[in-house]
């Protein structure tokens, strides 16, 4: 089933009559239920605009956005979308700064906030809080205050707060940008597990190409247009496209690119240092 569908979507920001900024231009793609998709692009490519269009925080100027078949735009003749609540309870958004998503001084109260606002019965809220904390590996911090957590731990709590509302889709909008490498790995491993074990559809929006290896598929935006839709392997083997989209190859793939540029031909997709060392040893044996 299609979870997220963009059909010929365009969006502009009107700062004034003489300054119209085209953020997205004729974007089309489908994300199926259970997929883990990474959306990347340089600054100003339209990534955050796309995330806000996905749950109706913004509405397209033209084209349509659908979440499990429900359009984010109102029906003709209506001023408001009568099903926007269904969309926003289906799509959970995680932003860059987890502090902006925390509303309580005790972690379990913070996670309970969302379900309480949905009118979930108290007994079920307790079960959801316990499940969400266990799912992100933070159950021992239930009675703690968020202020004393690391960046990665805070982001995992933010994810737990969204999970407690039982979304089918989780969107991370630059959610690892403020984290150190250890914290970033904590969050991405948690998200990967949610995708594999809970079947939650993931759209991870980032400019960091190191994060792309966690997804099964990559979408690349360039100046508001869709420049690439394929696997990480296909993208990393196209170094020229990566550079023209204002992105940087991860260190291992960049090393392979430089080796190829200097006459040491490696046509395979290399994922880590050990694999690269093994490949170089094989090439040496042929000399």
């Amino acid at each position: 089933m299609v979870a997220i569908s963009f059909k010929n979507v365009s969006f502009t920001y009107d700062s004034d009559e003489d300054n119209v900024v085209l953020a997205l231009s004729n974007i089309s793609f489908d994300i199926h239920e259970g997929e883990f998709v990474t959306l990347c692009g340089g600054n100003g490519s339209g990534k955050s605009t796309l995330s806000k269009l996905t749950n109706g925080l913004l509405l397209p100027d033209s084209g349509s956005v659908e979440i499990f078949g429900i359009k984010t735009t109102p029906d003709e003749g209506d001023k408001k979308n009568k099903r926007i609540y269904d969309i926003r309870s289906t799509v959970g958004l995680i932003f860059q700064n987890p502090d902006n998503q925390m509303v309580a001084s005790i972690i379990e109260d913070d996670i309970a906030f969302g379900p309480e606002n949905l009118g979930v019965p108290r007994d079920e809220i307790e079960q959801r809080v316990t499940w969400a904390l266990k799912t992100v590996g933070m159950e021992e911090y239930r009675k703690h205050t968020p202020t004393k957590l690391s960046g990665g731990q805070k982001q995992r709590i933010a994810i737990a707060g969204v999970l407690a509302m039982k979304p089918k889709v989780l969107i991370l909008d630059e959610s690892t940008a403020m984290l150190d490498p250890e914290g970033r790995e904590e969050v991405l491993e948690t998200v990967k597990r949610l995708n594999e074990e809970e079947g939650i559809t993931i759209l991870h929006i980032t400019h960091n190409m190191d994060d792309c290896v966690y997804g099964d598929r990559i979408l690349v935006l360039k100046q508001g247009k869709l420049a690439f839709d394929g696997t990480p392997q296909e993208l990393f083997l196209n170094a020229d496209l990566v550079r023209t989209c204002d992105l940087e190859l991860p260190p291992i793939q960049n090393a392979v690119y430089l080796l190829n540029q200097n006459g040491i031909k490696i046509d395979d997709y290399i994922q880590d240092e050990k694999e690269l060392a093994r490949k170089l040893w094989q090439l040496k044996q042929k000399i």
Side-chain angles (χ1 to χ4, degrees):
M1 184 174 185
V2 176
I4 301 172
S5 180
F6 275 59
K7 296 178 182 176
N8 306 117
V9 172
S10 295
F11 184 85
T12 56
Y13 289 103
D14 300 325
S15 54
D16 55 57
E17 291 183 0
D18 299 322
N19 188 15
V20 177
V21 179
L22 181 61
L24 293 175
S25 177
N26 200 36
I27 296 288
S28 295
F29 64 85
D30 289 338
I31 295 175
H32 290 82
E33 187 173 11
E35 275 195 285
F36 188 138
V37 177
T38 305
L39 174 72
C40 54
N43 292 332
S45 61
K47 301 188 303 297
S48 289
T49 299
L50 190 147
S51 75
K52 293 179 176 67
L53 285 163
T54 305
N55 81 336
L57 288 174
L58 296 175
L59 299 178
D61 295 331
S62 61
S64 66
V65 178
E66 295 183 8
I67 306 300
F68 287 95
I70 305 172
K71 287 187 177 182
T72 61
T73 48
D75 292 332
E76 189 174 348
D78 292 333
K79 292 184 178 180
K80 293 184 178 180
N81 188 345
K82 297 175 181 178
R83 300 196 66 185
I84 197 67
Y85 174 85
D86 295 330
I87 290 171
R88 290 178 179 167
S89 61
T90 299
V91 179
L93 271 173
I94 308 292
F95 295 105
Q96 185 177 108
N97 189 343
D99 291 329
N100 294 339
Q101 291 188 245
M102 294 184 179
V103 296
S105 58
I106 301 299
I107 287 171
E108 66 175 355
D109 294 338
D110 189 84
I111 296 170
F113 180 80
E116 285 173 350
N117 279 276
L118 294 176
V120 176
R122 189 66 218 176
D123 289 348
E124 186 177 341
I125 289 175
E126 290 289 332
Q127 294 173 7
R128 288 193 186 194
V129 169
T130 299
W131 169 78
L133 283 169
K134 184 177 181 180
T135 300
V136 301
M138 295 291 288
E139 58 265 49
E140 64 187 276
Y141 293 89
R142 185 181 187 122
K143 301 292 185 180
H144 289 223
T145 177
T147 57
K148 296 182 180 179
L149 301 179
S150 68
Q153 289 173 326
K154 285 182 179 180
Q155 202 60 284
R156 283 155 66 193
I157 292 299
I159 292 171
V162 172
L163 287 179
M165 293 184 282
K166 296 284 187 175
K168 293 182 179 179
V169 177
L170 194 60
I171 299 178
L172 295 93
D173 189 356
E174 297 283 8
S175 301
T176 60
M178 298 177 65
L179 305 179
D180 59 25
E182 183 178 353
R184 188 167 68 244
E185 186 174 354
E186 278 181 19
V187 171
L188 290 173
E189 288 291 349
T190 298
V191 171
K192 184 70 172 175
R193 191 171 68 251
L194 289 171
N195 173 251
E196 293 175 346
E197 298 178 6
E198 303 293 336
I200 295 176
T201 305
I202 305 294
L203 177 59
H204 178 211
I205 299 170
T206 182
H207 67 274
N208 189 332
M209 294 291 284
D210 288 333
D211 295 352
C212 293
V213 297
Y214 288 86
D216 308 310
R217 176 179 162 207
I218 297 178
L219 304 175
V220 179
L221 289 179
K222 179 184 179 183
Q223 297 176 349
K225 296 182 178 180
L226 190 61
F228 177 84
D229 180 353
T231 66
Q233 294 93 323
E234 290 168 339
L235 181 61
F236 294 153
L237 290 172
N238 193 341
D240 292 335
L241 174 63
V242 172
R243 285 174 167 77
T244 60
C245 292
D246 300 320
L247 296 167
E248 294 183 3
L249 285 169
I252 292 298
Q253 282 73 38
N254 191 53
V256 171
Y257 171 77
L258 293 174
L259 287 167
N260 280 321
Q261 291 294 101
N262 286 277
I264 302 175
K265 295 300 179 182
I266 301 176
D267 297 324
D268 302 332
Y269 172 60
I270 306 295
Q271 297 190 57
D272 55 42
E273 295 92 336
K274 290 182 179 179
E275 193 175 349
L276 178 57
R278 185 164 54 250
K279 186 66 178 180
L280 290 172
W281 176 255
Q282 291 171 352
L283 290 173
K284 183 181 178 182
Q285 297 300 100
K286 295 179 181 178
I287 297 175

